[in-house]
Amino acid sequence: MSESKRRRREADERRDERRDERRDERSLRRDERRDERRDERRDERRDERRDERRDERRDERRDERRDERRDERRDERRDERRRRESKEELEKLTKHTKKLNEEVQKLKHFETFYEKPPPGLIKEEEVRPEDCIPNTPGNEDARDFLAHAPTKGLWMPLGKEVKVMQCWRCKRYGHRTGDRECPFFIKGNQKLEQFRVAHEDPMYDLIRENKRNEKESRIRQLQQLLQDTTSDSDSSASSSSSSSSDRKRRKKKKKKEKKKKEKKRKKKRKHKSSKGDDNSGSD
C-alpha cells in the first residue's frame, strides 16, 4: 500500500509540475502577445505622428511657395506700373525740354541778331598786367611799374622767369629737357631716357649687375634641379643612345671610304686615258 501511495503521489506531483509549466508557458505567451500588441500600437502611433508632421511640413512648404509666387506676381505688377509711369514721365520731360530749347533758341536768335552789334565791331578786351593788382589807394606805384614793365626778355615782373632756350624734344622755347614744363617729361624717347638715367645715376650699373647675378644664380639652381631629375632617365637611355651613335659613326666612316675609293678610281681612269692619248700621238 505504501508503494502504491508513493507512486500516486509522485504521479500527482509530476502532473502538477506539468500543469504549472503549461500555465507558465501560457502566461509567457500571453505576455509576449501583449507586448507585441503594445509595440505595434506604439509604432502605429509613432507612424501616425510622423505622417502628420510630414503632412504639416508639406502643407507649410506649399503655402510658402504659394505666398512667394503671389509676392513675385505683385512685385512684377508693381515694377511694370513703375516702368509705365517712368516712361510717361520721361516722355513728358522730353517734350517739355524740347519746347524750352525751342523757346531759348528763338530768344538767342533775337538777342544775337537784333540787339548785339556785328562781330566785326566788337573789340576784344586786352589783358593788362596791372589788372592783377586791385586799384586801391596804396597800389599806385605797383600798378605803374607793371604797366611800364618790359614784356620780353630774361626776367618778367612778379618773379616770373622766362628762359631763352629751346627744348630739343618738343622744340618749344622757355624750358629745356628734363624740366617739368615739358609735355614729354614722363613720356618720350625711352631709349634716350634710359641712357640719360644710366649716365646720371651712379648706382645704375651696380643695381643692374645685382639683378643680373640674381637671375644667373636662379637659372643655375633650376638647371641643377633639371640635371638631378633627368640624370636617372639619362642613365637608362645612355646605353641605347651610345649604341645608336656608334652605328651612325660606322655608317659615316663607310660612306667616306666609298667616296675615297671612287675618287681614286676616277683618277686612275683619267691617268690611263691620258697615257693612251700620249702613245697614239707619239706613233
Side-chain angles (χ1 to χ4, degrees), residues 256-273:
K256 287 181 180 180
E257 288 176 357
K258 285 181 180 179
K259 286 180 180 180
K260 287 180 180 180
K261 287 179 180 179
E262 287 178 356
K263 286 180 180 180
K264 287 180 180 180
R265 287 175 185 174
K266 286 180 181 179
K267 285 180 181 180
K268 287 179 180 180
R269 287 174 185 173
K270 287 180 180 180
H271 187 64
K272 287 179 181 179
S273 61

Side-chain angles (χ1 to χ4, degrees), residues 150 161 187 195 256:
E161 184 181 4
K187 62 181 181 179
F195 175 75
K256 287 181 180 180

Side-chain angles (χ1 to χ4, degrees), residues 50-209:
R50 187 174 62 191
D51 294 334
E52 287 177 356
R53 289 175 184 174
R54 187 174 59 197
D55 294 333
E56 287 177 357
R57 289 175 184 174
R58 187 175 60 193
D59 294 333
E60 287 177 357
R61 289 175 184 174
R62 187 176 60 193
D63 294 333
E64 287 177 356
R65 289 174 183 172
R66 186 177 61 193
D67 295 334
E68 286 178 356
R69 290 174 184 173
R70 187 177 61 194
D71 294 334
E72 286 177 356
R73 290 174 184 173
R74 187 176 60 193
D75 293 335
E76 287 177 356
R77 289 174 185 172
R78 187 174 59 199
D79 293 334
E80 286 179 357
R81 195 180 300 132
R82 286 179 181 176
R83 286 173 186 171
R84 289 175 185 173
E85 290 176 356
S86 63
K87 285 181 180 179
E88 291 176 357
E89 289 177 356
L90 285 170
E91 288 177 356
K92 289 179 182 179
L93 286 171
T94 51
K95 289 179 181 178
H96 187 63
T97 51
K98 283 180 181 179
K99 289 180 180 179
L100 289 173
N101 288 324
E102 289 176 356
E103 291 177 357
V104 169
Q105 286 178 0
K106 287 179 181 179
L107 292 170
K108 283 183 179 179
H109 177 70
F110 281 114
E111 287 179 359
T112 55
F113 189 74
Y114 292 104
E115 295 179 1
K116 290 184 179 180
L121 295 174
I122 297 170
K123 291 183 180 180
E124 295 179 357
E125 294 182 358
E126 295 180 357
V127 179
R128 296 181 296 177
E130 61 267 17
D131 291 336
C132 63
I133 295 173
N135 191 5
T136 56
N139 294 332
E140 290 84 0
D141 295 333
R143 286 176 64 84
D144 291 334
F145 174 74
L146 290 174
H148 300 290
T151 58
K152 293 180 181 180
L154 292 173
W155 295 92
M156 291 286 287
L158 298 175
K160 185 177 180 181
E161 184 181 4
V162 179
K163 299 176 183 177
V164 184
M165 55 185 67
Q166 187 180 8
C167 180
W168 63 271
R169 286 189 188 171
C170 63
K171 306 299 180 184
R172 294 181 186 177
Y173 292 88
H175 64 273
R176 55 188 170 185
T177 57
D179 291 342
R180 294 182 182 273
E181 299 171 1
C182 183
F184 297 101
F185 177 70
I186 297 172
K187 62 181 181 179
N189 195 345
Q190 298 293 329
K191 292 182 180 180
L192 294 174
E193 283 292 322
Q194 289 177 2
F195 175 75
R196 187 175 65 79
V197 170
H199 185 68
E200 292 178 359
D201 191 4
M203 296 294 289
Y204 182 79
D205 294 329
L206 194 140
I207 293 165
R208 188 174 62 184
E209 287 178 0

Side-chain angles (χ1 to χ4, degrees), residues 3-92:
E3 287 180 0
S4 62
K5 287 181 180 180
R6 186 169 60 78
R7 287 176 182 175
R8 287 177 184 175
R9 193 180 294 168
E10 288 178 356
D12 293 334
E13 287 177 358
R14 289 174 184 173
R15 188 175 61 197
D16 293 333
E17 287 178 358
R18 289 174 183 174
R19 191 186 299 162
D20 294 333
E21 287 177 357
R22 290 175 184 173
R23 191 184 298 159
D24 293 334
E25 287 178 357
R26 288 175 185 173
S27 62
L28 287 171
R29 288 176 184 173
R30 194 184 303 118
D31 294 333
E32 286 178 357
R33 289 175 184 173
R34 187 177 60 194
D35 293 333
E36 286 177 357
R37 289 174 184 173
R38 187 178 60 190
D39 293 334
E40 287 177 356
R41 289 174 185 174
R42 188 178 61 191
D43 293 335
E44 287 177 356
R45 289 175 185 173
R46 187 176 62 191
D47 293 334
E48 287 177 357
R49 289 175 184 174
R50 187 174 62 191
D51 294 334
E52 287 177 356
R53 289 175 184 174
R54 187 174 59 197
D55 294 333
E56 287 177 357
R57 289 175 184 174
R58 187 175 60 193
D59 294 333
E60 287 177 357
R61 289 175 184 174
R62 187 176 60 193
D63 294 333
E64 287 177 356
R65 289 174 183 172
R66 186 177 61 193
D67 295 334
E68 286 178 356
R69 290 174 184 173
R70 187 177 61 194
D71 294 334
E72 286 177 356
R73 290 174 184 173
R74 187 176 60 193
D75 293 335
E76 287 177 356
R77 289 174 185 172
R78 187 174 59 199
D79 293 334
E80 286 179 357
R81 195 180 300 132
R82 286 179 181 176
R83 286 173 186 171
R84 289 175 185 173
E85 290 176 356
S86 63
K87 285 181 180 179
E88 291 176 357
E89 289 177 356
L90 285 170
E91 288 177 356
K92 289 179 182 179

